[in-house]
C-alpha cells in the first residue's frame, strides 16, 4: 500500500466524471450484452454467421471496456511494481513501469479486431458470390493495419513503457518514444489534469533534451510539444500520464519532487535504497 499521508495535489482532486460512468454502462449493455444475446440467438436459429460476428463484436467491445477500466477507474495501491534496475554508476535506476494490464489490453484489442477482419476476408473469398471477392481484399488490408500493432510490439518499437530515475536524471520510455532530462537542468515538477492525472517535469529552456519518437504508427502517447515563450524551440519536459503507470501517480509525483529538491539523496537512486524509500513514503 502507498503511504497514507501522501495526498494527491489539488489539481487531481476530482471524482470520476458522470460521462465516463455512462459510457461504461452504454458499452457494457449495448455493445457487449446485446451482441452476446444476438450471438446466442443466431446460433440457436441455425445462423452461424450471425452468431460468429455478433460474438466477435461482443468480445472486442468487452476488451475495450477492460482497457477503459484500467485507464480510467482502476486505483493502483501496490508499490510492488517499483524495482531497482542494476547498471553502472550512471545507469542503475529506480524503475517505475507502465501497467502490464494496459499493455496486454492494447495487444488483445488489436489482435481481436485483426482476427475479425481476417474472418471476414476468409468468408468473402469463400463465398459463391463473385462480387464479394473485392471486399475480401479490403478486409484483408484492414486486418493487416490492425495487426501492425502486435507486429510493432513483437519488434519492441511499441513496448511497455517505464520511468527510470537515475543519479544523473529522469528517463521516460513511453509506449512509442523515449526522453531524458538531467537533474541539473530540471526546474520544476508540476501536477496537471488532462483527461487524467499528469506529472510534468520541466527543465530550463536551453537544457539538453535527449528525445526520440520511435514509431509514428499507433502512437498512444507523444513527446510534448510546448513552445518556449520566446518562440525559439520547445520547452524540454517529460509529460507522464498517471493512467499508464503501474503505481499510484501521487507517489511518483512526490518521488520526483523529493529527488529534485534533495540533490544529496540522488546517489541512492543507483541502489535498493530508493526502492525502500519509495515503499516507505519517506519523502518529506
Amino acid at each position: 500500500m502507498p503511504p497514507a499521508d501522501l495526498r494527491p495535489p489539488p489539481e487531481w482532486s476530482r471524482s470520476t466524471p458522470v460521462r465516463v460512468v455512462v459510457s461504461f454502462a452504454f458499452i457494457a449493455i449495448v455493445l457487449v450484452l446485446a451482441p452476446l444475446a444476438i450471438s446466442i440467438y443466431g446460433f440457436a436459429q441455425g445462423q452461424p454467421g450471425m452468431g460468429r460476428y455478433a460474438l466477435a463484436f461482443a468480445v472486442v467491445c468487452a476488451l475495450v471496456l477492460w482497457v477503459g477500466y484500467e485507464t480510467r477507474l482502476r486505483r493502483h495501491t501496490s508499490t510492488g511494481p517499483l524495482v531497482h534496475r542494476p547498471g553502472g554508476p550512471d545507469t542503475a535506476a529506480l524503475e517505475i513501469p507502465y501497467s502490464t494490464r494496459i499493455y496486454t489490453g492494447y495487444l488483445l484489442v488489436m489482435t481481436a479486431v485483426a482476427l475479425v477482419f481476417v474472418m471476414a476476408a476468409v468468408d468473402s473469398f469463400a463465398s459463391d458470390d463473385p462480387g464479394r471477392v473485392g471486399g475480401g481484399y479490403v478486409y484483408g488490408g484492414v486486418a493487416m493495419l490492425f495487426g501492425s500493432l502486435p507486429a510493432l510490439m513483437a519488434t519492441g518499437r511499441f513496448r511497455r513503457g517505464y520511468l527510470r530515475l537515475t543519479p544523473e536524471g529522469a528517463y521516460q520510455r513511453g509506449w512509442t518514444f523515449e526522453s531524458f532530462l538531467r537533474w541539473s537542468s530540471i526546474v520544476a515538477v508540476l501536477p496537471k489534469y488532462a483527461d487524467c492525472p499528469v506529472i510534468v517535469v520541466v527543465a530550463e529552456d536551453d537544457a539538453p533534451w535527449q528525445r526520440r519518437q520511435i514509431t509514428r504508427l499507433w502512437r498512444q502517447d507523444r513527446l510534448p510539444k510546448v513552445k518556449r515563450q520566446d518562440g525559439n524551440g520547445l520547452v524540454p519536459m517529460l509529460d507522464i500520464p498517471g493512467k499508464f503507470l503501474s503505481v499510484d501517480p501521487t507517489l511518483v509525483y512526490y518521488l520526483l519532487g523529493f529527488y529534485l529538491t534533495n540533490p544529496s539523496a540522488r546517489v541512492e537512486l543507483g541502489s535498493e535504497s530508493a526502492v525502500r524509500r519509495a515503499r516507505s513514503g519517506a519523502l518529506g
Side-chain angles (χ1 to χ4, degrees):
M1 296 288 288
D5 57 344
L6 297 183
R7 301 297 180 185
E11 291 83 354
W12 297 351
S13 298
R14 58 183 69 189
S15 58
T16 303
V18 175
R19 61 180 177 81
V20 173
V21 177
V22 172
S23 298
F24 271 72
F26 176 84
I27 294 175
I29 296 172
V30 179
L31 301 182
V32 178
L33 296 180
L36 188 59
I38 293 173
S39 174
I40 295 173
Y41 174 82
F43 284 119
Q45 295 299 312
Q47 301 182 49
M50 175 194 295
R52 284 189 291 113
Y53 284 101
L55 178 60
F57 186 83
V59 169
V60 169
C61 290
L63 290 171
V64 170
L65 190 68
W66 175 47
V67 172
Y69 168 75
E70 292 294 336
T71 56
R72 301 283 184 169
L73 300 179
R74 178 180 286 276
R75 296 293 179 263
H76 298 286
T77 57
S78 173
T79 57
L82 296 171
V83 296
H84 168 66
R85 183 62 57 184
D90 298 333
T91 58
L94 169 65
E95 182 174 289
I96 306 160
Y98 279 23
S99 170
T100 302
R101 292 188 181 96
I102 296 175
Y103 179 80
T104 303
Y106 288 152
L107 174 62
L108 293 178
V109 168
M110 302 305 276
T111 300
V113 174
L115 290 176
V116 170
F117 281 99
V118 167
M119 181 171 63
V122 171
D123 287 345
S124 296
F125 289 129
S127 174
D128 295 330
D129 183 359
R132 294 185 59 186
V133 174
Y137 290 107
V138 174
Y139 294 140
V142 176
M144 291 178 63
L145 174 63
F146 283 96
S148 63
L149 180 60
L152 289 173
M153 289 177 163
T155 60
R157 295 179 65 81
F158 187 111
R159 64 175 297 179
R160 181 189 178 199
Y162 50 80
L163 179 68
R164 285 182 182 169
L165 306 184
T166 75
E168 292 298 313
Y171 172 82
Q172 181 187 12
R173 177 38 163 112
W175 305 113
T176 64
F177 71 83
E178 57 184 2
S179 182
F180 175 78
L181 292 171
R182 293 186 175 276
W183 290 113
S184 58
S185 67
I186 297 174
V187 295
V189 176
L190 306 172
K192 74 173 184 178
Y193 194 94
D195 194 45
C196 72
V198 178
I199 306 166
V200 182
V201 181
V202 184
E204 299 167 340
D205 284 350
D206 58 350
W209 184 16
Q210 300 175 30
R211 64 194 189 277
R212 179 170 68 107
Q213 186 70 51
I214 298 171
T215 178
R216 299 188 179 278
L217 184 63
W218 301 116
R219 289 190 290 177
Q220 296 302 104
D221 52 4
R222 299 167 185 259
L223 285 164
K225 295 184 178 180
V226 178
K227 291 185 177 179
R228 291 166 44 173
Q229 291 185 349
D230 59 12
N232 297 323
L234 303 175
V235 177
M237 64 171 58
L238 305 181
D239 190 88
I240 308 166
K243 66 182 180 181
F244 293 148
L245 298 173
S246 60
V247 299
D248 189 344
T250 300
L251 175 59
V252 180
Y253 168 72
Y254 282 104
L255 270 171
L256 286 162
F258 174 81
Y259 287 111
L260 175 62
T261 56
N262 294 273
S264 61
R266 295 172 193 163
V267 66
E268 71 185 26
L269 288 168
S271 69
E272 293 281 356
S273 299
V275 177
R276 290 192 291 269
R277 180 183 294 279
R279 290 176 177 170
S280 68
L283 304 172

